[in-house]
Amino acid sequence: MLPKNLSTISDNQNLPLTTVTLTSKIFIESLANSIKQVRLQANKHDKLVSYPWKDDPTCKKFTVQLAERDSLPKWALTSFPGSGVTWTRQMIEGITGIYTGSIHEQDPPPVQLEGVGFDQLGIRDDPFCGCTIIDKDHEATITVDGMVDYFRLLYIEGYSDILRKVYDYRGVLLLRNPMDVVFTYRHWQLAGKVGTAPQEAFQGPQWKKVVEFVAYAWADHAIRWIEQIEKGTVIFYEQLLGRNASTELERLFDAMDFKPSPLDTERMRCTLDHRDRTDHKRLNKSWIPLEEEQRLLFIESIHRVQQSLRRRKWPQLPVHLYDLHGLYNQTIL
């Protein structure tokens, strides 16, 4: 059945040309408006507004939400598992008011809030929505199966080309002391995001393989991203813990050319005041001293990454803040 306006034209072939033209114009404009409304409805998406600090009277007004679809470029927030990326995402969201995303399936949002519908959050199902400020991507280090699988992901599955293909060389590299990372990685490998591995997991042949893998892949991953990133920077977990956190975060957003600039000082204050929230925080972690041979592996890796940062003229690893398990810091400067 023809629309009313079109039926009028069809049934009145003897109308003056000007009348037919006017009627056709009205119909076309009406059809165009209908198509526009359909497209608007199709593109409409729930921004999932949340209040991360609703129990703090001075911060409860601030929200976090999704941006409009296809409004933001793809940025990678990459790190070795166990480097504090979820915690870093909490701070990025707090300062910008925009959700971060993750390319990893079933990866929970960094802030756990009730009644927001995170189980339907589009940034997990559609990591290319263009509605998140930055996206977590562990690249090939996501493996729990060690060196062989790491190389398979890199060179057979093509993970080594992710920075170019997915992010157009835009990336932020988060680095943490690898001698701390090896323990958090082992917990994550065996017990998931917040579980803890048993004490015996940190000894024997399997533990030795984990140490060797983390020492190699932590540096290999970092150096590849340092060398390939064209727009972005490196940030350090240890700096985000201390009194220089605001400077570190400002440097991050300057590299991303985030607007508004300067950053909202009240949002920054609220974000840093709430750094110690317990979402996804692992408690009662097992720990044992590293053997001398194992520490030397990590020192070599740290030195390799430090050299790569120097060549790039990027900020240096804050080794003065590292727990070197009894070794003198200057051995890796």
Side-chain angles (χ1 to χ4, degrees), residues 172-223:
V172 174
L173 172 64
L174 171 65
L175 290 176
R176 182 183 183 181
N177 177 6
M179 284 183 267
D180 292 332
V181 168
V182 69
F183 289 97
T184 53
Y185 175 80
R186 185 60 164 162
H187 287 299
W188 172 77
Q189 182 187 41
L190 296 180
K193 197 170 186 68
V194 296
T196 55
Q199 188 76 20
E200 56 268 24
F202 300 91
Q203 53 191 322
Q206 287 303 314
W207 170 238
K208 181 181 179 182
K209 287 182 179 180
V210 170
V211 169
E212 291 171 350
F213 166 66
V214 174
Y216 174 84
W218 176 86
D220 180 69
H221 168 260
I223 291 168

Side-chain angles (χ1 to χ4, degrees), residues 1-281:
M1 181 177 177
L2 291 171
K4 183 177 179 181
N5 287 337
L6 191 56
S7 297
T8 303
I9 297 171
S10 177
D11 296 340
N12 294 277
Q13 298 296 326
N14 296 323
L15 285 174
L17 182 59
T18 54
T19 303
V20 174
T21 303
L22 180 60
T23 307
S24 299
K25 184 179 179 182
I26 293 171
F27 166 71
I28 292 170
E29 288 177 350
S30 176
L31 182 61
N33 286 331
S34 297
I35 292 172
K36 184 178 180 181
Q37 290 301 317
V38 170
R39 285 177 175 171
L40 285 173
Q41 289 298 320
N43 292 329
K44 188 176 180 181
H45 73 123
D46 187 353
K47 292 187 176 181
L48 296 171
V49 177
S50 66
Y51 296 81
W53 310 303
K54 61 182 180 181
D55 295 327
D56 183 336
T58 66
C59 300
K60 63 181 182 181
K61 65 180 180 181
F62 291 115
T63 64
V64 177
Q65 61 185 337
L66 293 171
E68 295 292 342
R69 287 195 178 276
D70 301 316
S71 65
L72 297 173
K74 286 286 291 181
W75 278 85
L77 177 61
T78 192
S79 67
F80 199 96
S83 298
V85 68
T86 299
W87 175 67
T88 304
R89 289 172 64 196
Q90 291 175 2
M91 289 188 281
I92 292 173
E93 291 184 357
I95 292 168
T96 63
I98 303 171
Y99 286 122
T100 60
S102 174
I103 62 96
H104 305 294
E105 291 184 5
Q106 302 306 310
D107 195 13
V111 176
Q112 295 177 320
L113 295 172
E114 296 180 1
V116 183
F118 279 114
D119 58 324
Q120 299 173 352
L121 197 57
I123 58 175
R124 290 216 307 268
D125 300 327
D126 180 10
F128 304 104
C129 65
C131 58
T132 53
I133 188 68
I134 199 167
D135 296 302
K136 168 183 170 181
D137 192 332
H138 286 309
E139 198 225 48
T141 64
I142 193 64
T143 180
V144 296
D145 296 326
M147 199 79 77
V148 173
D149 196 52
Y150 175 71
F151 286 126
R152 180 188 66 83
L153 291 174
L154 273 181
Y155 301 114
I156 297 178
E157 300 297 330
Y159 281 40
S160 61
D161 208 22
I162 281 177
L163 179 58
R164 178 183 67 86
K165 286 186 175 180
V166 177
Y167 302 104
D168 195 22
Y169 299 104
R170 289 183 295 266
V172 174
L173 172 64
L174 171 65
L175 290 176
R176 182 183 183 181
N177 177 6
M179 284 183 267
D180 292 332
V181 168
V182 69
F183 289 97
T184 53
Y185 175 80
R186 185 60 164 162
H187 287 299
W188 172 77
Q189 182 187 41
L190 296 180
K193 197 170 186 68
V194 296
T196 55
Q199 188 76 20
E200 56 268 24
F202 300 91
Q203 53 191 322
Q206 287 303 314
W207 170 238
K208 181 181 179 182
K209 287 182 179 180
V210 170
V211 169
E212 291 171 350
F213 166 66
V214 174
Y216 174 84
W218 176 86
D220 180 69
H221 168 260
I223 291 168
R224 281 188 293 101
W225 283 73
I226 291 166
E227 292 177 348
Q228 294 181 50
I229 288 173
E230 293 182 1
K231 186 172 178 58
T233 191
V234 61
I235 57 174
F236 306 109
Y237 173 86
E238 290 78 13
Q239 296 285 21
L240 295 173
L241 282 173
R243 63 182 62 183
N244 294 324
S246 60
T247 302
E248 193 77 353
L249 289 164
E250 286 168 357
R251 190 171 60 77
L252 159 65
F253 292 115
D254 282 346
M256 294 181 66
D257 197 25
F258 177 77
K259 299 292 187 294
S261 180
L263 299 171
D264 187 316
T265 56
E266 278 300 291
R267 272 191 172 274
M268 178 70 80
R269 179 188 65 78
C270 290
T271 296
L272 297 182
D273 283 351
H274 292 271
R275 270 183 295 180
D276 294 331
R277 60 187 306 146
T278 58
D279 311 62
H280 310 296
K281 192 171 184 177

